[in-house]
Amino acid sequence: MAESKRYISQTELENHKKPGDLWISIQGKIYDVTEWSREHPGGALPLLNLAGQDATDAFVAYHPGLAWQYLDKFFTGYYLKDYSVSEVSKDFRKLAAEFSKMGLFEKKEHGTGILLCIIALLFSISVYGVLCSNSALVHLLSGALLGFSWIQSGWIGHDSGHYQVMSSRKFNRVAQILTGNCLAGISIGWWKWNHNAHHIACNSLEFDPDLQHMPIFAVSSKLFSSLTSYFYERKMNFDPIARFLVSYQHWTFYPVMCFARINLFAQSFLFLFSKRKVPNRGQEILGILVYWTWFPLLVSCLPNWGERLMFVVASFSVTGIQHVQFCLNHFSSSVYVGPPSGNNWFEKQTDGTLDI
């Protein structure tokens, strides 16, 4: 006689959402991912944010089909009582399955190869303009071209951080380090840690780091209540300094975006030299050192400090176009307070994103 299924309620599942006791539900089956959270490629934070609830849609969105076969070793033997799926989630899962059958998620590394060639061309022209021309206008354009190469490298870093864009994990890692750390000076490890948290809790004022720019910017009046950032583990105080800066954010937004890369540099260093577990820390630091070797050397080849400043400002400002795009994709969409909910995860993704 077949053994009857054992069920737990949603309330019981919610009791298991601590770092040392972390359960999730996927398609109604309960999994204990406490130990796995320490090895999870996306870090522990996405699992913690969705702990104690259904995480099916996020799992479908973030994992290839091969990942399903590894779930059984985490199965607790329990099923979620009264498990149900919204019509929107049903449509999302059906759409994801159809896209998979059509081969739209298959690796197409020739596209990445072409983009790498474009980046190399832009970078080479920029370096040539600095080293082989005495024209200040050429130097200005060279800075702009370098900025455009950083924009393109950002897309490779983004895509390779989300999924494998090359034929093997090794080549995928090379693409990440080369375009992110070495060329752009931004830790791909920090980016993945930050960006995974952003997508899991898209537009949560307390859990999405991409909305937490206090005291410079406030994307919602709800931030005036001095909310806590659960990503940075600190309070976002709306104090007199924040009040002053936020009151002028409509003037400061674009100038700040021109130099937003400086914050990315700082966050990369803080991440790499923190006590946090950083996968391949040595690779990451070496890549950053490559950037901070070639970029200052290139700038130093310009004839005077005026042109050096012009070159840096031009390269940073052009890259600021991408920062503006990222911000507008989310700042002008719906925001909310509190942790993400797996039951309406897909709805939150669409509510919190514009396609700019």
Side-chain angles (χ1 to χ4, degrees):
M1 183 177 180
E3 184 180 353
S4 60
K5 290 183 177 180
R6 297 182 297 167
Y7 291 91
I8 65 171
S9 67
Q10 179 62 49
T11 302
E12 291 174 298
L13 177 60
E14 289 173 1
N15 292 328
H16 302 274
K17 56 180 182 180
K18 304 185 293 292
D21 182 17
L22 202 164
W23 290 14
I24 59 172
S25 166
I26 297 177
Q27 289 191 334
K29 296 177 73 173
I30 309 299
Y31 299 95
D32 183 350
V33 292
T34 306
E35 296 299 323
W36 173 239
S37 65
R38 300 183 177 92
E39 306 296 331
H40 184 231
L45 197 60
L47 293 172
L48 283 168
N49 284 349
L50 292 174
Q53 57 182 308
D54 181 74
T56 306
D57 286 347
F59 184 86
V60 169
Y62 267 87
H63 299 82
L66 291 174
W68 289 93
Q69 63 183 306
Y70 298 107
L71 284 176
D72 283 346
K73 62 181 179 181
F74 305 116
F75 183 46
T76 62
Y78 291 104
Y79 293 82
L80 186 62
K81 188 177 181 181
D82 300 325
Y83 172 69
S84 62
V85 183
S86 70
E87 292 302 317
V88 174
S89 288
K90 288 179 182 177
D91 288 343
F92 165 63
R93 296 174 195 180
K94 182 179 179 181
L95 185 66
E98 290 296 322
F99 282 178
S100 182
K101 290 178 183 177
M102 293 167 64
L104 298 182
F105 297 141
E106 294 176 3
K107 296 183 291 292
K108 296 178 175 63
E109 63 180 354
H110 61 278
T112 303
I114 292 171
L115 188 52
L116 284 170
C117 291
I118 292 173
I119 293 171
L121 179 63
L122 291 171
F123 180 76
S124 299
I125 295 174
S126 176
V127 172
Y128 181 83
V130 170
L131 300 181
C132 301
S133 175
N134 295 320
S135 169
L137 178 59
V138 171
H139 294 161
L140 175 64
L141 293 175
S142 296
L145 284 176
L146 182 60
F148 279 117
S149 74
W150 284 338
I151 288 177
Q152 298 307 316
S153 72
W155 289 121
I156 289 186
H158 175 276
D159 292 352
S160 64
H162 271 300
Y163 50 87
Q164 192 172 310
V165 298
M166 305 297 281
S167 58
S168 70
R169 289 185 177 274
K170 182 179 179 180
F171 289 144
N172 198 67
R173 181 63 180 169
V174 170
Q176 289 177 338
I177 294 293
L178 188 63
T179 59
N181 298 54
C182 297
L183 180 63
I186 298 169
S187 164
I188 191 67
W190 166 79
W191 181 88
K192 289 171 69 174
W193 174 60
N194 180 282
H195 200 66
N196 284 334
H198 155 69
H199 271 301
I200 291 297
C202 186
N203 276 26
S204 166
L205 294 174
E206 295 173 295
F207 288 83
D208 183 354
D210 282 7
L211 296 190
Q212 298 171 355
H213 302 292
M214 295 284 281
I216 308 298
F217 301 137
V219 301
S220 169
S221 59
K222 295 175 182 177
L223 287 166
F224 298 166
S225 301
S226 297
L227 301 176
T228 296
S229 166
Y230 288 93
F231 181 82
Y232 293 112
E233 298 178 338
R234 61 175 175 81
K235 196 170 185 179
M236 299 179 287
N237 291 310
F238 189 66
D239 53 24
I241 294 176
R243 181 184 296 273
F244 173 79
L245 293 173
V246 167
S247 67
Y248 292 100
Q249 67 180 10
H250 55 297
W251 293 109
T252 60
F253 176 73
Y254 289 104
V256 168
M257 289 298 104
C258 288
F259 298 97
R261 292 183 61 78
I262 296 174
N263 178 56
L264 304 187
F265 296 151
Q267 294 297 332
S268 294
F269 276 106
L270 290 172
F271 175 77
L272 293 177
F273 293 98
S274 68
K275 295 180 180 179
R276 183 180 302 277
K277 181 181 178 182
V278 179
N280 303 302
R281 190 191 299 265
Q283 289 180 7
E284 296 271 347
I285 294 176
L286 181 61
I288 295 294
L289 289 176
V290 169
Y291 171 83
W292 286 107
T293 300
W294 74 258
F295 184 64
L297 279 176
L298 182 64
V299 173
S300 70
C301 292
L302 291 163
N304 55 66
W305 283 105
E307 290 196 24
R308 291 166 188 163
L309 179 62
M310 176 187 70
F311 181 87
V312 171
V313 171
S315 61
F316 280 30
S317 297
V318 167
T319 318
I321 296 170
Q322 190 174 52
H323 296 302
V324 170
Q325 180 213 352
F326 288 160
C327 289
L328 294 182
N329 276 336
H330 299 288
F331 282 13
S332 51
S333 300
S334 300
V335 300
Y336 64 99
V337 175
S341 171
N343 295 329
N344 62 351
W345 183 83
F346 181 70
E347 290 95 318
K348 290 294 186 185
Q349 298 293 304
T350 52
D351 285 346
T353 306
L354 295 177
D355 185 14
I356 296 177

